[in-house]
Amino acid sequence: KKFSNIIKDNLVSILIVSMLAIVDAIITFLIPVSVSFLLNGTFNTKTVVWLFLLVFISLLTSVILTSLQQKFVYRFKYKLNLQLYEDLFHVKYSELSKNGAAYYVEKILGAVNSYADLIMTTIPNFIQVWLVILVSAFIIGYISIPILILVAAILLLQNINIFILYIPISSKNEKS
């Protein structure tokens, strides 16, 4: 089955988990802002209640996000396992005996775990990280454009560093 079909079949689950991850990222920004208001002297009941609600919503969102991810991962793994084992029943006996049944079972388990991790964890985390980067860039740019340019340059240099240092090392390790 094509990867795009797997994404389409699980799009609702991915969107729900991604939306919760976005809410979690937004709350992650709001809590420090609320604490800074408390520390800057606007210590009143409204601010304390606001901070308490943010922390409570953050914890609740984390619990819901984790439980939904686990539920979706279980359902996804179950469906994909059924499909792949059904495909295994159509493998020719000569092919099955040549590689051994354990080979196929190991490949199926690896594929299911990799796809589940990608779809239910990596994609929502990717969306969350980009949201945090964009909101951070907006806040930094609002405070000071030169600082935003400096931060962008640092991030660019850091990513160039990864390509210069780590990719040649990993390709050398693969050759040996």
Side-chain angles (χ1 to χ4, degrees), residues 144-159:
S144 171
I145 296 294
I147 293 175
L148 177 64
I149 293 169
L150 180 65
V151 168
I154 290 170
L155 288 174
L156 182 64
L157 288 173
Q158 184 178 12
N159 286 318

Side-chain angles (χ1 to χ4, degrees), residues 107-162:
K107 293 293 182 187
I108 287 172
L109 291 174
V112 167
N113 288 331
S114 295
Y115 276 134
D117 182 51
L118 176 68
I119 288 180
M120 292 301 157
T121 306
T122 305
I123 292 174
N125 286 349
F126 179 78
I127 293 168
Q128 182 182 18
V129 164
W130 273 102
L131 178 70
V132 168
I133 289 171
L134 291 174
V135 170
S136 298
F138 177 76
I139 291 171
I140 293 170
Y142 182 76
I143 294 170
S144 171
I145 296 294
I147 293 175
L148 177 64
I149 293 169
L150 180 65
V151 168
I154 290 170
L155 288 174
L156 182 64
L157 288 173
Q158 184 178 12
N159 286 318
I160 290 171
N161 181 34
I162 289 170

Side-chain angles (χ1 to χ4, degrees), residues 78-96:
Y78 178 77
K79 286 180 184 178
L80 192 57
N81 265 316
L82 282 178
Q83 181 184 4
L84 291 175
Y85 279 114
E86 185 179 302
D87 292 345
L88 181 62
F89 287 127
H90 299 292
V91 172
K92 292 181 182 178
Y93 180 75
S94 60
E95 193 71 26
L96 186 65

Side-chain angles (χ1 to χ4, degrees), residues 5-15 72 75-76 79 119-120:
N5 291 340
I6 293 173
I7 296 279
K8 286 177 188 174
D9 292 346
N10 295 284
L11 189 60
V12 172
S13 301
I14 293 169
L15 290 175
F72 292 149
R75 189 173 56 197
F76 174 78
K79 286 180 184 178
I119 288 180
M120 292 301 157

Side-chain angles (χ1 to χ4, degrees), residues 19-35 50-65 128 131-132 135 139:
M19 292 305 294
L20 283 171
I22 289 169
V23 168
D24 192 43
I26 291 169
I27 292 172
T28 300
F29 276 106
L30 292 177
I31 290 175
V33 171
S34 298
V35 169
W50 173 251
L51 182 60
F52 176 76
L53 282 174
L54 280 177
V55 171
F56 178 75
I57 292 170
S58 175
L59 292 173
L60 186 65
T61 304
S62 294
V63 168
I64 292 171
L65 179 62
Q128 182 182 18
L131 178 70
V132 168
V135 170
I139 291 171

Side-chain angles (χ1 to χ4, degrees), residues 34-35 37-38 42-54:
S34 298
V35 169
F37 281 125
L38 280 174
T42 55
F43 188 83
N44 56 32
T45 307
K46 185 179 179 181
T47 310
V48 173
V49 169
W50 173 251
L51 182 60
F52 176 76
L53 282 174
L54 280 177

